[in-house]
Amino acid sequence: MKESILHYIWQHKLFTPHSLQTTEGEKVEIIDVGKINTDAGPDFFNAKIKIGETLWAGNVEIHTRASDWKNHNHQADQAYNSVILHVVKKADMDIFRLDGEKIPQIELIYPQHIEENYEKLIAEQKWIPCAEKIGNVPAIFIQSWKTTLLTERLEQKMNAISQLLDNNNQHWEEAFYITLARSFGFGTNSQAFEALAKSLPLSALGKHKNNILQIEALLFGQAGLLTEQMSDEYSFQLKKEFDFLKAKFNLQPLKPEQWKLLRLRPDNFPHIRIAQFAGLIHGSSKLFSRIVEQPEIKYLNELFTCETSDYWKTHYLFGHESTQRTKKFGKTSINSILINTVIPFLFCYASQKGMQELKDKALQLLESLQAEQNAVITGWKSVGLQAENAFDSQALLQLKKYYCDDKKCLRCRIGHKVLTF
Ligand code: SF4
């Protein structure tokens, strides 16, 4: 049996309280199980426990067998001198502190089905271990867990944004520009896009924001894509502009090999995404400030339509003409950028500035967007959990990646219900 299930039973007070007594036969009353300790040292800090007529305050150590105390050499470790109670499944020996004093022990008694349910769950090979049982968990309970999961996901994203802000002198526009560029790579070219934005300061683009040719020259040139044979007037102009701007801003272009075209639909070619990014930069200055001022779905949809310049309406690559077609972002692409970049940035900004209304607005935006469509969300649907909107899908992605995949069912609120059915 795993020790973690004993921790879980202790932490959630799932033991049978009236049956508790030390191995010496003294009655034990648990006033407070203490706070779980994730660092070195005893498992729970600051517990309050009445043994016989004496109230003790201190730490608790938990093991499957009492002899694990000795196996782990705790009897020689100062950190374990403060243990007031040793909680075990099987008390196979007495244990002692460094000074030789005996430590009270209890054998934990709890409903056997908790342990059986846990073992079944951990052995399960289905898409998620609780696939057969999740249908019995009340919807209202799952909804409140989703809210916690979503908060957890946004906090993770906020940590990444804070790190980026630290690296960019707390410059919100620059950090937003880098993250936004990454999202234009849609996975396959995300790293290259991020490298492009990091190597090309927003201030350089800002100085030329009213001239689309110069914006495109800076982006395509810095992306390393103007080394191709420039075979038409537009490409030739771009190259000429970039040669000038490169010297002006002392730029070192990326290597063209960073960009991937293999297995991409032409609409996703980096050339088209860069042209759309150029269109966005050209049409808007102080992008993040404008979003903060107007965090409305209609405005955001218009802003991220991201149309290309005329040349790219008839090209997918330099010098290769194709049928004319407007290449702007579709709904799915806009949603992806709003979900993964815009909303986390809004939430982070609102949190740091103490703007509760804007924080609420960011969450409302998430609720107003369609759920993402991918294999994980389809998997959840197959076990009966339908993502109604992006709030739900983000929460479910978090649950699968950080709990189910690692079988962290003891830390999951659905797991709590499943274990105690
Ligand atoms: S982590 Fe939660 S939802 Fe995932 S399998 Fe375990 S109990 Fe089920």
Side-chain angles (χ1 to χ4, degrees):
M1 146 221 206
K2 284 200 169 195
E3 202 173 278
S4 52
I5 188 76
L6 286 180
H7 285 232
Y8 176 80
I9 288 164
W10 178 260
Q11 185 185 5
H12 295 280
K13 304 186 188 91
L14 298 173
F15 45 78
T16 316
H18 305 301
S19 60
L20 297 179
Q21 59 173 24
T22 66
T23 48
E24 311 267 280
E26 275 194 290
K27 189 172 175 339
V28 174
E29 192 184 340
I30 313 299
I31 316 291
D32 185 340
V33 295
K35 295 263 173 295
I36 196 156
N37 170 31
T38 49
D39 293 323
D43 296 320
F44 286 82
F45 284 156
N46 300 327
K48 283 197 186 70
I49 293 162
K50 199 169 171 192
I51 302 175
E53 293 307 312
T54 310
L55 182 64
W56 297 88
N59 304 331
V60 170
E61 179 67 4
I62 298 179
H63 284 125
T64 310
R65 291 178 167 274
S67 47
D68 291 336
W69 179 270
K70 210 166 164 222
N71 295 338
H72 299 168
N73 213 22
H74 293 334
Q75 76 283 359
D77 187 339
Q78 290 268 14
Y80 290 83
N81 267 349
S82 55
V83 168
I84 55 170
L85 185 68
H86 193 210
V87 177
V88 296
K89 168 94 173 163
K90 178 91 188 127
D92 56 351
M93 66 178 291
D94 290 335
I95 59 148
F96 301 89
R97 291 197 182 88
L98 201 53
D99 62 4
E101 190 184 357
K102 196 167 173 180
I103 299 176
Q105 301 194 93
I106 55 168
E107 285 188 341
L108 205 56
I109 296 174
Y110 50 88
Q112 205 47 43
H113 70 270
I114 297 177
E115 195 178 317
E116 287 163 11
N117 285 345
Y118 177 67
E119 272 159 14
K120 270 192 224 152
L121 209 52
I122 292 305
E124 191 53 77
Q125 295 300 319
K126 294 213 163 55
W127 183 71
I128 53 164
C130 70
E132 299 288 319
K133 299 202 164 182
I134 197 166
N136 300 328
V137 179
I140 190 161
F141 188 85
I142 294 178
Q143 195 52 42
S144 107
W145 179 217
K146 280 198 249 174
T147 303
T148 305
L149 289 162
L150 197 269
T151 308
E152 196 178 285
R153 190 167 184 84
L154 284 172
E155 276 169 6
Q156 281 175 359
K157 291 187 179 186
M158 286 203 301
N159 288 341
I161 294 170
S162 298
Q163 183 70 55
L164 200 54
L165 284 167
D166 288 347
N167 295 341
N168 287 281
N169 298 321
Q170 305 304 314
H171 196 305
W172 283 90
E173 292 291 346
E174 191 81 30
F176 183 68
Y177 155 70
I178 293 169
T179 312
L180 191 60
R182 186 179 171 83
S183 68
F184 268 67
F186 291 97
T188 310
N189 283 304
S190 290
Q191 274 190 357
F193 251 108
E194 186 176 335
L196 169 59
K198 282 182 170 168
S199 70
L200 178 61
L202 187 56
S203 57
L205 286 166
K207 288 196 174 80
H208 298 273
K209 66 176 185 297
N210 295 325
N211 184 328
I212 184 67
L213 187 79
Q214 288 175 330
I215 295 283
E216 289 187 350
L218 276 167
L219 286 166
F220 281 112
Q222 190 55 16
L225 296 175
L226 295 181
T227 54
E228 299 167 25
Q229 195 66 38
M230 296 293 118
S231 57
D232 56 28
E233 180 56 24
Y234 164 79
S235 329
F236 183 74
Q237 279 294 324
L238 278 189
K239 178 94 172 66
K240 203 168 131 203
E241 281 291 343
F242 183 64
D243 287 343
F244 165 73
L245 294 166
K246 181 181 161 191
K248 178 178 173 182
F249 295 113
N250 193 21
L251 299 173
Q252 294 298 322
L254 307 183
K255 299 222 172 345
E257 306 81 68
Q258 296 208 21
W259 301 95
K260 297 185 187 82
L261 277 82
L262 202 66
R263 285 193 281 276
L264 285 182
R265 284 172 42 236
D267 273 355
N268 293 331
F269 279 0
H271 299 68
I272 301 302
R273 295 306 189 198
I274 291 174
Q276 289 165 334
F277 193 56
L280 179 65
I281 302 273
H282 173 56
S284 48
S285 62
K286 296 210 183 308
L287 195 54
F288 184 60
S289 304
R290 288 171 60 182
I291 293 171
V292 168
E293 279 164 22
Q294 218 176 325
E296 304 302 332
I297 197 70
K298 187 166 178 290
Y299 172 70
L300 294 171
N301 277 330
E302 281 165 14
L303 187 65
F304 287 101
T305 301
C306 298
E307 218 170 302
T308 65
S309 61
D310 286 344
Y311 180 85
W312 295 104
K313 289 178 184 163
T314 53
H315 291 78
Y316 287 100
L317 295 167
F318 286 114
H320 297 271
E321 205 158 341
S322 61
T323 318
Q324 171 144 3
R325 208 163 73 76
T326 303
K327 299 179 183 90
K328 53 186 182 183
F329 270 0
K331 203 168 176 192
T332 310
S333 301
I334 297 179
N335 278 5
S336 167
I337 286 180
L338 296 183
I339 292 168
N340 294 304
T341 303
V342 174
I343 291 169
F345 256 84
L346 276 177
F347 194 83
C348 184
Y349 182 81
S351 301
Q352 286 203 11
K353 307 282 176 191
M355 298 163 75
Q356 187 57 44
E357 214 174 303
L358 186 61
K359 239 171 130 176
D360 294 343
K361 185 71 201 176
L363 295 177
Q364 281 164 20
L365 279 173
L366 216 42
E367 281 170 337
S368 72
L369 293 173
Q370 268 183 2
E372 292 126 298
Q373 292 305 324
N374 54 42
V376 174
I377 299 306
T378 307
W380 280 115
K381 195 174 170 191
S382 74
V383 296
L385 279 196
Q386 174 92 33
E388 302 295 342
N389 50 41
F391 185 106
D392 279 359
S393 55
Q394 284 286 291
L396 292 175
L397 290 171
Q398 183 76 3
L399 178 56
K400 178 73 168 62
K401 183 169 179 187
Y402 293 98
Y403 292 82
C404 310
D405 287 353
D406 294 337
K407 295 201 171 179
K408 287 188 178 154
C409 303
L410 292 181
R411 291 183 47 208
C412 166
R413 292 204 207 149
I414 294 170
H416 187 70
K417 281 280 172 208
V418 168
L419 289 180
T420 50
F421 276 151

